[in-house]
C-alpha cells in the first residue's frame, strides 16, 4: 500500500526521549530479524550499530539511528516480503511505497508509525512523507570484475543521487559558477525521475559479478569508498544488542577497524552528537 500524504499537527504529539526512541528502534529490529529468520534472509548490523553491539552491547549511548545491511539478492527479497508481512505499526518506506520520500542516498527505511523523527541536516523539512522513528536498511552489491567498471558505475550513480539532494537544498544566492553547476543538477533530476532512476540503477547493477570476493554499499547509495571482503562478513555471527541476539559480520574487528580505527576508545564529549532535532510520539487517546 502506498503512503498517502502525511499531515503533522504538533498539538497531537508529545515529546519522545532518546532512550524511548531507541527502544522503538529495537522493536523494529526485532520484527525485521523475525522476518529474515522466517524466510532465510541474511542481514547484518552495520556501521555505528555494529560498533554499538561490540562496544556497548547495544546502542552507542548518544546514537539515535540503526543501520543494517543485506546483500542485494536478500535485500530485494526482503522488500517484497516486508510489503506483505511487516506488522501494521511499521511502514516499509521506499521510493515506491512513499511517493513523497526524498532521502535519496538511503533507498529503504522501516518507520514506526505514529511517531516523528526530524533530522537537523535539511534546509527544509518534508512533512508530507512518513517521518517516523526508523531503521535504515542498506543494500550491498557484489563488485564488477574490473575496477574501471566500478568507477564508471559509481560516477554515474553518485552524480544522479547528488543532483537530487543538491536541488532539494539549493542555496538562495548562487555565484555564476554555482549557477552552471545547479543547471547540471536540474538536468539530472529532469532526466531521472524516480521510476527512471530506479530502472537505471537496476541496469548498472547488472554489471556486477555475483561471484566477486568483494562487496560494497549498493549503487543506490553514496558510499563508494567502503569496499569489503565478503569473507570478513560470512558466515555471520550473533552479537548481543539491547538484550537480543542479532546477526553481525564474522570478522567485525577487521570491519570496525577499517571504519573507525581505534574503535574501542570513546570519542571526545563534543563529538558525541545525534541526528534528531525533534522526536515525538502520538498522544494516547484518553
Amino acid at each position: 500500500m502506498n503512503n498517502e500524504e502525511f499531515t503533522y499537527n504538533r498539538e497531537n504529539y508529545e515529546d519522545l526521549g532518546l532512550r524511548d526512541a531507541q527502544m522503538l528502534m529495537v522493536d523494529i529490529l526485532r520484527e525485521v530479524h523475525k522476518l529474515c529468520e522466517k524466510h532465510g534472509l541474511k542481514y547484518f548490523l552495520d556501521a555505528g550499530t555494529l560498533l554499538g553491539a561490540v562496544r556497548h552491547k547495544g546502542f552507542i549511548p548518544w546514537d539515535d539511528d540503526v543501520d543494517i545491511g543485506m546483500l542485494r539478492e536478500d535485500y530485494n527479497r526482503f522488500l517484497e516480503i516486508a510489503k506483505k508481512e511487516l506488522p501494521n505499526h511499521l511502514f516499509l518506506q521506499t521510493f515506491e511505497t512513499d511517493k513523497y520520500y526524498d532521502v535519496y542516498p538511503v533507498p529503504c527505511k522501516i518507520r514506526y508509525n505514529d511517531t516523528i523523527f526530524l533530522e537537523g541536516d535539511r534546509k527544509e523539512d518534508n512533512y508530507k512523507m512518513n517521518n517516523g522513528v526508523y531503521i535504515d536498511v542498506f543494500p550491498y552489491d557484489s563488485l564488477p570484475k574490473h575496477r574501471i567498471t566500478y568507477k564508471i558505475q559509481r560516477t554515474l550513480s553518485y552524480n544522479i543521487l547528488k543532483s537530487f539532494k543538491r536541488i532539494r537544498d539549493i542555496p538562495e544566492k548562487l555565484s555564476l559558477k554555482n549557477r552552471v553547476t545547479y543547471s547540471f543538477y536540474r538536468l539530472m533530476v529532469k532526466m531521472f525521475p524516480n521510476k527512471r532512476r530506479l530502472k537505471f540503477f537496476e541496469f548498472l547493477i547488472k554489471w556486477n559479478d555475483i561471484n566477486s570476493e568483494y562487496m560494497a554499499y549498493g549503487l543506490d547509495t553514496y558510499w563508494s569508498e567502503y569496499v569489503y571482503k565478503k569473507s570478513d562478513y560470512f558466515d555471520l555471527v550473533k552479537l548481543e544488542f539491547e538484550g537480543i541476539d542479532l546477526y553481525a559480520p564474522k570478522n567485525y574487528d577487521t570491519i570496525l577497524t577499517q571504519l573507525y580505527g581505534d574503535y574501542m576508545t570513546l570519542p571526545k564529549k563534543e563529538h558525541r552528537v545525534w541526528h534528531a532535532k525533534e522526536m515525538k510520539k502520538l498522544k494516547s487517546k484518553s
Side-chain angles (χ1 to χ4, degrees), residues 83-110:
K83 287 177 187 177
K84 304 171 185 176
E85 297 189 27
L86 276 179
N88 291 334
H89 67 285
L90 301 181
F91 175 65
L92 174 72
Q93 187 174 49
T94 68
F95 298 105
E96 295 176 321
T97 63
D98 188 342
K99 64 182 179 181
Y100 298 105
Y101 183 53
D102 68 353
V103 186
Y104 295 104
V106 184
C108 177
K109 293 178 182 283
I110 310 295

Side-chain angles (χ1 to χ4, degrees), residues 10-193:
R10 280 185 171 82
E11 293 181 358
N12 297 330
Y13 288 79
E14 58 188 0
D15 289 338
L16 186 67
L18 175 59
R19 188 58 178 166
D20 292 329
Q22 289 176 341
M23 290 300 98
L24 293 181
M25 295 174 204
V26 171
D27 181 70
I28 301 173
L29 266 176
R30 185 181 289 109
E31 295 297 337
V32 169
H33 172 79
K34 285 164 58 177
L35 268 188
C36 289
E37 289 277 72
K38 177 181 176 181
H39 294 279
L41 304 177
K42 292 182 179 180
Y43 75 88
F44 45 86
L45 302 180
D46 197 16
T49 309
L50 176 61
L51 174 56
V54 173
R55 194 171 67 192
H56 304 276
K57 293 189 176 182
F59 282 96
I60 298 171
W62 55 91
D63 200 7
D64 63 356
D65 71 353
V66 165
D67 299 321
I68 65 172
M70 300 180 187
L71 278 173
R72 179 70 63 177
E73 297 77 19
D74 286 318
Y75 174 82
N76 287 342
R77 286 185 59 209
F78 173 78
L79 294 184
E80 293 305 312
I81 292 166
K83 287 177 187 177
K84 304 171 185 176
E85 297 189 27
L86 276 179
N88 291 334
H89 67 285
L90 301 181
F91 175 65
L92 174 72
Q93 187 174 49
T94 68
F95 298 105
E96 295 176 321
T97 63
D98 188 342
K99 64 182 179 181
Y100 298 105
Y101 183 53
D102 68 353
V103 186
Y104 295 104
V106 184
C108 177
K109 293 178 182 283
I110 310 295
R111 298 274 191 178
Y112 203 104
N113 291 324
D114 296 332
T115 65
I116 296 294
F117 185 100
L118 297 177
E119 302 183 61
D121 61 347
R122 300 175 62 106
K123 184 179 178 182
E124 294 182 2
D125 290 312
N126 174 2
Y127 291 105
K128 292 183 178 181
M129 72 177 182
N130 187 316
N131 280 294
V133 171
Y134 66 88
I135 72 169
D136 287 327
V137 183
F138 289 106
Y140 273 71
D141 285 328
S142 300
L143 266 59
K145 290 182 178 179
H146 305 292
R147 182 177 294 272
I148 187 64
T149 305
Y150 182 64
K151 288 184 177 180
I152 294 171
Q153 282 179 320
R154 287 294 178 170
T155 299
L156 291 169
S157 64
Y158 176 78
N159 279 287
I160 292 170
L161 290 170
K162 180 181 177 183
S163 297
F164 278 84
K165 185 178 186 304
R166 290 297 177 86
I167 288 297
R168 186 189 70 195
D169 299 328
I170 187 171
E172 293 181 5
K173 295 182 179 180
L174 295 173
S175 65
L176 178 60
K177 179 181 178 181
N178 283 339
R179 287 176 189 173
V180 174
T181 302
Y182 275 90
S183 294
F184 169 77
Y185 294 154
R186 290 189 184 96
L187 178 61
M188 289 294 100
V189 169
K190 187 175 181 179
M191 288 177 61
F192 293 99

Side-chain angles (χ1 to χ4, degrees), residues 204-218:
L204 293 179
I205 289 166
K206 290 179 181 178
W207 300 0
N208 294 334
D209 176 13
I210 195 172
N211 296 315
S212 173
E213 297 179 7
Y214 296 92
M215 66 187 210
Y217 280 104

